[in-house]
Amino acid sequence: MSESIESRLLEAAKAERTGDRIGALSTLSEVLREQPGELRALLAAARLHQELGQAREAAEYLKTLDVGQLKPDLLLDALLLRAEIARDLQLTAEQRAAIDEALALDAYCWPARLMLGEWLERSGQPKEAARTYRDTLRIAPPPAYRPDSHKAR
């Protein structure tokens, strides 16, 4: 990977941290024009679109990901994002499939377990949802150690 792409990925991450999601997306678009299959840029762009409420656009970015090239940590991120996008698009079967894939990869992935609890709750299974939430609270790290995206959960 060229230094130029690496520096622009860092620039996009910095823009996102400072709240400039549009600037981050612009920088990621530049990276993807130069390197269309850049996995981290595709994943970051999909996540930003999802956070901006643009689930359809996010889904398009995820469709172009070559999941066979993803390392386990990025694969887990992609599966969690796919589950969130499917939820936003009200694709319940696809959401459950992504959650199950994430849990197959890491049975102790507490964000995936939270999503499973939410899915069970919306699917009319409140007792199973409550058990899932209870078990998730047992394995989740203390709030101070959670990523910003999960501190309010």
Side-chain angles (χ1 to χ4, degrees), residues 107-119:
Y108 293 98
C109 177
W110 60 272
R113 297 191 72 66
L114 282 176
M115 288 180 191
L116 176 59
E118 177 189 20
W119 188 91

Side-chain angles (χ1 to χ4, degrees), residues 6-143:
E6 192 67 39
S7 67
R8 285 187 284 166
L9 287 172
L10 291 171
E11 179 184 331
K14 182 179 178 183
E16 183 183 355
R17 278 193 310 274
T18 61
D20 183 9
R21 290 180 174 158
I22 303 303
L25 277 172
S26 176
T27 303
L28 292 169
S29 293
E30 291 173 16
V31 169
L32 291 168
R33 272 194 295 281
E34 186 177 320
Q35 190 84 21
E38 212 302 309
L39 301 172
R40 291 175 298 166
L42 287 167
L43 195 54
R47 185 177 36 74
L48 283 167
H49 278 289
Q50 190 272 335
E51 290 172 0
L52 289 168
Q54 301 165 346
R56 293 203 187 285
E57 291 86 346
E60 289 302 314
Y61 279 100
L62 279 187
K63 284 181 187 175
T64 63
L65 269 178
D66 181 358
V67 293
Q69 291 186 10
L70 293 176
K71 294 179 183 176
D73 58 333
L74 287 180
L75 178 57
L76 190 56
D77 288 347
L79 291 169
L80 294 172
L81 183 56
R82 193 173 91 199
E84 289 176 357
I85 292 167
R87 178 199 60 215
D88 294 348
L89 295 174
Q90 299 179 350
L91 303 171
T92 56
E94 288 85 346
Q95 181 188 12
R96 180 61 192 256
I99 292 168
D100 289 345
E101 284 182 61
L103 290 172
L105 194 63
D106 180 357
Y108 293 98
C109 177
W110 60 272
R113 297 191 72 66
L114 282 176
M115 288 180 191
L116 176 59
E118 177 189 20
W119 188 91
L120 290 165
E121 193 173 354
R122 283 188 290 105
S123 298
Q125 301 174 57
K127 287 182 182 178
E128 196 58 39
R131 276 192 287 274
T132 300
Y133 287 137
R134 180 198 64 211
D135 294 345
T136 301
L137 288 172
R138 290 179 179 158
I139 64 170

Side-chain angles (χ1 to χ4, degrees), residues 141-153:
Y145 295 99
R146 295 179 193 162
D148 289 340
S149 59
H150 287 89
K151 285 191 178 177
R153 291 186 179 184

